[in-house]
Amino acid sequence: MADAPLTKAQIEQVITIVTPLQNAANVQWLLYCGALVLFMQAGFAMLCAGSIRAKNAQNILLKNLMDACVGALCFWSFGYAFAYGERADLKAGNWFIGNDNFFLSNGFEGKDSYAFWFFQFTFAATAATIVSGAVAERCQMAAYAGYSAFLTAFVYPVVVHWVWSSRGWLSAFKSNPILNVGVVDFAGCGVVHMVGGAAAGIGAYVLGPRRGRFGPGGKKIQGHSTPLVVLGTFILWIGWYGFNPGSTLMLADLPATGIPFVAEKTAVTTTLAAASGGLTNLFVHHYLSGFYDVGEMCNGVLAGLVSITAGCSVVEVWAAVVIGFVGAFAYTAGSLLLEKLEIDDAVNATPVHYFCGVWGLIATALFARGENMRNAYGVGSRAGLFYTGQGEMLACNVLAIVIITAWVGLMMFPFFTALKSAGLFRVSDEVEEAGLDDSKHGGSAYEMKEKDVEAPQKISGKVKE
């Protein structure tokens, strides 16, 4: 005898039991992925410290700590409100900027979750810390704190609102997105990496190169610790599994919509793009220099990770390999261009994040598959140029590239120029020559005193260690 179908009352009872479990699982997912993204701050700290000279290691570490602390306070007070705040009395919303829930007040708990705020804060901190390496070894601490506050409180949140808020004018989540598709940027090629990368390039340009980098007798300035660079790269790679899969914003979905499948496939595309980018860049730079450069392989891994960030949920796994491969060339082209223009980006943050962010948005509009769009965005009728022959998605993403670049340029160039004009941006030549650690932080990050080292003892003609 066949089982009788569930009654309406029984279905409601099941929903009552399952819904709190689903909510708890999704909160845990956001907290876990957000913690991975926050751990990327450690990766940036190690990568940047290893990429510069030892005499400035403490300074760059402090700036990475400052990004997390300043970013948290600024995103709590203003950033989140500008990104996602929506006044209930404005039915149409604001297409340009959010306008509610400053300091997480005015009914925040009834509209959004603290887990969501935490996850979004980690992205804001990531965008800010991209700049730290580009202006390393010659930027004043107060200027850097001011930049970090401005970016996380206003510049970055506005772009978030445009692309990820359901009210933003570029958003693919609107009920009527532009060209019926909107900007497809799943985890932030444009929103996070282009914003941070463009700010890095502008800051490095306005600040000027380090002493001895360009001009007569100028040469490349080597970092002091390859092990730190590799450690930082691996930490960042791990953190990207919070960045990309975590951008599903949930894991338990009822009724089932395929979100867990999106998350697991995203982890695979992220992995393959990183691997492809790393290997490609290793051999490209071996061709250019004749050496197998560990640092360049690390940058290739990061180039692949940035390049896949926009399309990680909507491209096929084979396409991720292609995207990472091309990402290595986008990074190399950006690096060579900055050197040609004599813009001294100490850790090549601009080529990695801006140039590969641009490529990532273009690649998404080329390789996005309709079935993957259905799973990730709920719209299966839209796909990339190579699947449909239609250019609407490409047009939207190119528009985002232009608008984001213009926005960051209009905000950050006057900001950095004003700091420079006021004498607040760059340290003196004497401080730069001596090193910021001795000048500003009380000594080297690696200083060891004689009393800390036990001298060998000589016993019966032999040395006892």
Side-chain angles (χ1 to χ4, degrees):
M1 181 177 179
D3 293 333
L6 293 175
T7 65
K8 181 179 179 180
Q10 289 173 322
I11 293 174
E12 291 176 351
Q13 185 179 12
V14 171
I15 292 175
T16 301
I17 295 172
V18 171
T19 298
L21 298 177
Q22 175 181 319
N23 292 339
N26 289 333
V27 166
Q28 176 59 28
W29 175 245
L30 282 178
L31 294 178
Y32 169 71
C33 291
L36 285 178
V37 178
L38 185 60
F39 189 49
M40 292 174 73
Q41 295 292 326
F44 280 115
M46 296 300 98
L47 176 68
C48 292
S51 299
I52 63 173
R53 290 165 290 189
K55 66 181 182 179
N56 298 306
Q58 277 207 75
N59 182 263
I60 197 69
L61 293 173
L62 183 57
K63 286 173 180 173
N64 279 273
L65 284 166
M66 186 177 293
D67 279 321
C69 296
V70 171
L73 294 175
C74 290
F75 199 69
W76 161 67
S77 54
F78 296 101
Y80 185 86
F82 289 146
Y84 291 105
E86 297 179 5
R87 284 176 51 186
D89 58 332
L90 296 178
K91 293 183 179 180
N94 189 320
W95 62 270
F96 180 78
I97 193 170
N99 50 20
D100 200 7
N101 304 128
F102 296 95
F103 300 92
L104 302 188
S105 63
N106 198 26
F108 168 82
E109 292 185 7
K111 294 189 292 185
D112 293 318
S113 74
Y114 287 110
F116 182 70
W117 179 90
F118 170 68
F119 184 74
Q120 294 299 331
F121 143 69
T122 63
F123 275 54
T126 298
T129 206
I130 289 169
V131 179
S132 63
V135 298
E137 302 199 281
R138 74 267 199 209
C139 179
Q140 290 194 39
M141 187 63 67
Y144 188 80
Y147 145 78
S148 186
F150 185 44
L151 192 93
T152 53
F154 183 67
V155 179
Y156 167 78
V158 169
V159 179
V160 172
H161 187 79
W162 292 348
V163 180
W164 285 342
S165 168
S166 61
R167 303 290 180 89
W169 69 285
L170 294 174
S171 178
F173 302 104
K174 290 180 65 175
S175 57
N176 56 338
I178 57 173
L179 299 182
N180 292 320
V181 61
V183 174
V184 179
D185 186 9
F186 189 73
C189 267
V191 176
V192 179
H193 295 288
M194 279 186 60
V195 169
I202 295 167
Y205 170 74
V206 174
L207 187 60
R210 290 167 290 177
R211 291 167 54 86
R213 178 64 180 94
F214 298 115
K219 61 181 180 179
K220 185 175 181 180
I221 299 174
Q222 297 292 338
H224 81 279
S225 177
T226 297
L228 285 181
V229 172
V230 174
L231 175 62
T233 301
F234 271 118
I235 292 174
L236 288 169
W237 192 342
I238 292 169
W240 239 281
Y241 294 115
F243 212 95
N244 287 1
S247 291
T248 59
L249 304 181
M250 64 174 66
L251 197 60
D253 59 329
L254 292 175
T257 58
I259 293 299
F261 176 76
V262 173
E264 61 178 317
K265 190 170 185 178
T266 294
V268 175
T269 58
T270 300
T271 302
L272 294 177
S276 176
L279 288 172
T280 302
N281 211 49
L282 174 67
F283 292 113
V284 166
H285 285 266
H286 178 267
Y287 174 79
L288 295 175
S289 68
F291 298 100
Y292 291 108
D293 193 318
V294 175
E296 290 298 350
M297 185 170 188
C298 289
N299 281 337
V301 169
L302 298 177
L305 288 167
V306 172
S307 298
I308 197 63
T309 297
C312 56
S313 63
V314 298
V315 304
E316 289 299 293
V317 292
W318 64 264
V321 176
V322 176
I323 291 170
F325 173 81
V326 178
F329 289 93
Y331 156 78
T332 300
S335 180
L336 294 174
L337 177 62
L338 261 61
E339 189 167 355
K340 180 72 173 178
L341 297 174
E342 296 192 352
I343 298 174
D344 182 17
D345 184 331
V347 301
N348 270 337
T350 308
V352 167
H353 295 280
Y354 179 79
F355 285 87
C356 293
V358 169
W359 160 240
L361 282 175
I362 294 172
T364 301
L366 300 178
F367 292 102
R369 186 183 175 199
E371 182 179 348
N372 296 330
M373 284 290 295
R374 181 181 299 107
N375 291 332
Y377 284 86
V379 181
S381 59
R382 298 289 178 262
L385 180 67
F386 290 164
Y387 285 93
T388 64
Q390 299 174 352
E392 288 88 347
M393 188 183 297
L394 182 60
C396 289
N397 281 20
V398 169
L399 175 62
I401 291 168
V402 174
I403 294 297
I404 291 171
T405 302
W407 169 252
V408 178
L410 287 172
M411 292 296 104
M412 298 313 304
F413 183 78
F415 181 82
F416 287 134
T417 301
L419 287 175
K420 184 176 181 179
S421 299
L424 299 174
F425 199 13
R426 185 167 184 144
V427 300
S428 66
D429 290 347
E430 294 77 16
V431 169
E432 183 179 349
E433 185 67 29
L436 278 73
D437 286 4
D438 282 335
S439 303
K440 300 294 183 180
H441 304 291
S444 170
Y446 303 101
E447 184 175 10
M448 296 183 68
K449 302 182 184 302
E450 289 185 12
K451 66 179 182 179
D452 297 328
V453 181
E454 185 176 348
Q457 299 178 16
K458 189 174 182 179
I459 301 177
S460 302
K462 296 181 180 180
V463 175
K464 181 181 178 181
E465 298 294 342

